[in-house]
Amino acid sequence: MSDAEALKVLETEIRAAIQAAGGVLSFRRFMDLALYAPGLGYYERRSTRIGRAGDFMTSVSTGPLFGELLAAQIAEWSRARCLQDSTVSLVESGAHTGRLAADILEALCRDAPDVFERVIYTLMEPSAIRRDWQRETLESWNGCTRWITGWSELQTGVRGVILTNELLDAFPVTRYIWEASRERWLEAGVQCIDEGFGWARLESATTDRVAELLGHPLPLELLAVLPEGFALDLAAGAAEWWSEAARALTSGRLITFDYGLEASEFLTPKYASGTLRGYLKHRTARDELASPGAADLTAHVNFTTLRQAGVEAGLETEFMGSQRVFLTEVFARRPAMAMGSEAEKASRLRQFHALTHPEHLGRAFRVLVQHRVTPGQ
Ligand SMILES: C[S@@+](CC[C@H](N)C(=O)[O-])C[C@H]1O[C@@H](n2cnc3c(N)ncnc32)[C@H](O)[C@@H]1O
C-alpha cells in the first residue's frame, strides 16, 4: 500500500471510531490511532520520520556521539560493585529503527570490551513492523540482542540499565480544558467536520482527577486566575510505564532523555494552550488534527509524576537536570573523546554542540536517572 493509500485508510478508520463513539472521540484515542494504528499510523510506516530528511531531529539522529556517551556512562555503572561480576542487562524501549542500540553496542565493543562481553541488549517493542526494522539495523549484533513485546515477557528482574530516548513524549495524551465560566475541567475530543477533523468537548472531569494526573494540587485560588480555555495535555501512560520499569529493575539504573517539565511548569502562562505539538518537515503544524498519520504528534513529559512513580516503587533519584549538564559531565570524564584525527574531532564537536547547546537539544531536553539501592552497593 502506498503512503497516500495508507493515510486514506487511516482517515476512514478514525472516522469510523468517531462514529462508534457517538460523534466525539477522546483526543487520546485519536492520537493513539494517528501514531500507532497497525500498519497505518505515523510510527508504523517506513517513511523517514527522524533526522534531517524527516520531520524532526532526535539526539540519536545527530550522529553516533550520543550513543558513545551513553555507552561510556553505562560502562561506568556496570563496573560498580552491584553489577561488577554479573550479566549486564540493557533494556531499551522506543528504539524505533534500533539506531541507538547499534551506536551503544558498537561503542561498548570498541571502548569497553570487559563490559561488552557481559551485555545482553533487550529491545522492548510491541510493534511487529518496528521489530523488523530493528532486527535489520542490529543484524551484526545477533549474539547479544533479543526482543520482547512488553514487561510481562521479562523472565527475571533487570540487573543493569533500562533506557529510553524520546519514548514518553510519544505517548498519547488526554487534553483537559478549563472552562472558567463554569469552573470545571472538560476533556477535549475530536469530531468529524466536512473534509477533516475538529476539536469538540467531551465530558467533564473532576479537579481532583486532573490534579492527580498532573501530580500537583489545583487549589481554588489558582483556579480563580486560570484563563478560559487553559489546556493541560497529560499522558497517564507515561507514569504507568515508568512505574512498571521501576518495578522491573532489580539493581542498576532507569534513565530517560526527553523534553518535558515539572508539574508546576504546566500551569504557567507560557503553556496556556497545552504542550501538544504536531511536527511535519521540521515545522510545527498549525492544526494538530489536520494530518493524522502524516505529522508527528507529541507533548511534554511530566517529570514530577515520573520521579514520584519511581520513588513509590523504591527507587532513588540520582540525577534530574538538563541534557547539557548530564552529557557535559560524561564527556568531561572521557579524555578519549578529544582524540582522533582532525576530521573525527571536528565531527564529534559538531555533534556535542547539537546535543548540548541550549538552542539545540541541550536545554529543552532533560534527563532523569533513578536507581535501586541494593544492600552493600
Ligand atoms: C520520538 S520517537 C524516538 C525514537 C528513538 N528513540 C530516537 O530517539 O530516535 C518515539 C518512538 O517510541 C515508539 N513508541 C511509542 N510508544 C511505545 C511503546 N509503548 N513501546 C515501545 N515503543 C513505543 C514510537 O513508535 C517511536 O518509534
Side-chain angles (χ1 to χ4, degrees), residues 280-331:
L280 193 59
K281 301 279 166 234
H282 300 274
R283 295 229 167 134
T284 318
R286 216 175 296 146
D287 175 2
E288 297 91 357
L289 306 179
S291 350
D296 182 30
L297 289 172
T298 172
H300 282 49
V301 168
N302 183 333
F303 279 103
T304 304
T305 55
L306 294 192
R307 216 168 38 239
Q308 188 60 28
V311 168
E312 278 166 17
L315 302 193
E316 273 187 16
T317 303
E318 182 172 326
F319 182 89
M320 173 70 240
S322 69
Q323 173 160 303
R324 180 178 63 81
V325 170
F326 184 85
L327 293 183
T328 303
E329 283 178 10
V330 181
F331 193 86

Side-chain angles (χ1 to χ4, degrees), residues 51-359:
R52 261 180 206 97
D55 297 319
F56 59 96
M57 296 291 290
T58 67
S59 296
V60 180
S61 65
T62 61
L65 183 67
F66 181 65
E68 286 170 21
L69 291 171
L70 210 42
Q73 182 60 81
I74 288 169
E76 229 172 78
W77 286 334
S78 304
R79 292 180 185 125
R81 190 145 23 114
C82 64
L83 295 175
Q84 216 169 35
D85 302 315
S86 62
T87 298
V88 176
S89 176
L90 304 181
V91 179
E92 185 190 354
S93 186
H96 202 62
T97 58
R99 189 65 254 156
L100 178 60
D103 290 344
I104 290 176
L105 287 168
E106 209 162 306
L108 283 176
C109 180
R110 185 188 58 227
D111 304 333
D114 58 314
V115 173
F116 176 75
E117 64 187 19
R118 295 189 283 131
V119 160
I120 298 287
Y121 203 113
T122 302
L123 293 100
M124 191 164 80
E125 179 53 78
S127 155
I129 291 180
R130 294 194 300 270
R131 278 198 300 276
D132 285 347
W133 303 344
Q134 292 160 12
R135 284 202 172 93
E136 233 174 78
T137 310
L138 292 162
E139 212 179 352
S140 48
W141 303 104
N142 264 340
C144 57
T145 45
R146 66 183 182 110
W147 277 261
I148 55 173
T149 60
W151 295 114
S152 62
E153 284 176 30
L154 272 181
Q155 272 147 17
T156 55
V158 177
R159 285 172 58 81
V161 182
I162 302 176
L163 62 116
T164 74
N165 185 63
E166 287 207 55
L167 163 73
L168 302 167
D169 64 35
F171 274 30
V173 294
T174 305
R175 167 164 277 201
Y176 293 102
I177 304 283
W178 177 241
E179 196 181 25
S181 51
R182 298 180 66 184
E183 295 183 355
R184 62 175 189 171
W185 292 98
L186 288 170
E187 186 184 333
V190 180
Q191 62 184 341
C192 300
I193 44 162
D194 305 325
E195 300 291 288
F197 301 102
W199 289 102
R201 299 197 158 186
L202 203 54
E203 53 200 29
S204 60
T206 65
T207 293
D208 283 353
R209 175 69 184 141
V210 177
E212 184 194 348
L213 287 174
L214 176 64
H216 194 276
L218 291 167
L220 289 175
E221 314 82 76
L222 173 74
L223 294 175
V225 296
L226 272 194
E228 178 76 27
F230 191 94
L232 286 172
D233 296 311
L234 304 175
E240 284 159 18
W241 188 94
W242 195 262
S243 177
E244 283 201 82
R247 281 185 270 124
L249 187 71
T250 321
S251 183
R253 265 80 178 183
L254 172 55
I255 177 169
T256 190
F257 296 80
D258 240 307
Y259 55 88
L261 305 170
E262 292 295 342
S264 58
E265 293 174 272
F266 283 88
L267 295 165
T268 51
K270 183 174 175 193
Y271 300 107
S273 319
T275 66
L276 176 73
R277 300 285 180 268
Y279 285 100
L280 193 59
K281 301 279 166 234
H282 300 274
R283 295 229 167 134
T284 318
R286 216 175 296 146
D287 175 2
E288 297 91 357
L289 306 179
S291 350
D296 182 30
L297 289 172
T298 172
H300 282 49
V301 168
N302 183 333
F303 279 103
T304 304
T305 55
L306 294 192
R307 216 168 38 239
Q308 188 60 28
V311 168
E312 278 166 17
L315 302 193
E316 273 187 16
T317 303
E318 182 172 326
F319 182 89
M320 173 70 240
S322 69
Q323 173 160 303
R324 180 178 63 81
V325 170
F326 184 85
L327 293 183
T328 303
E329 283 178 10
V330 181
F331 193 86
R333 291 199 300 275
R334 303 283 304 163
M337 294 286 170
M339 292 178 197
S341 68
E342 285 310 311
E344 281 165 351
K345 280 193 278 189
S347 157
R348 247 187 244 130
L349 204 61
R350 248 192 333 269
Q351 293 174 54
F352 186 68
H353 190 261
L355 292 169
T356 57
H357 195 281
E359 278 169 25

Side-chain angles (χ1 to χ4, degrees), residues 349-371:
L349 204 61
R350 248 192 333 269
Q351 293 174 54
F352 186 68
H353 190 261
L355 292 169
T356 57
H357 195 281
E359 278 169 25
H360 295 276
L361 302 166
R363 185 166 47 207
F365 278 77
R366 298 184 188 184
V367 185
L368 172 61
V369 184
Q370 293 188 312
H371 66 256

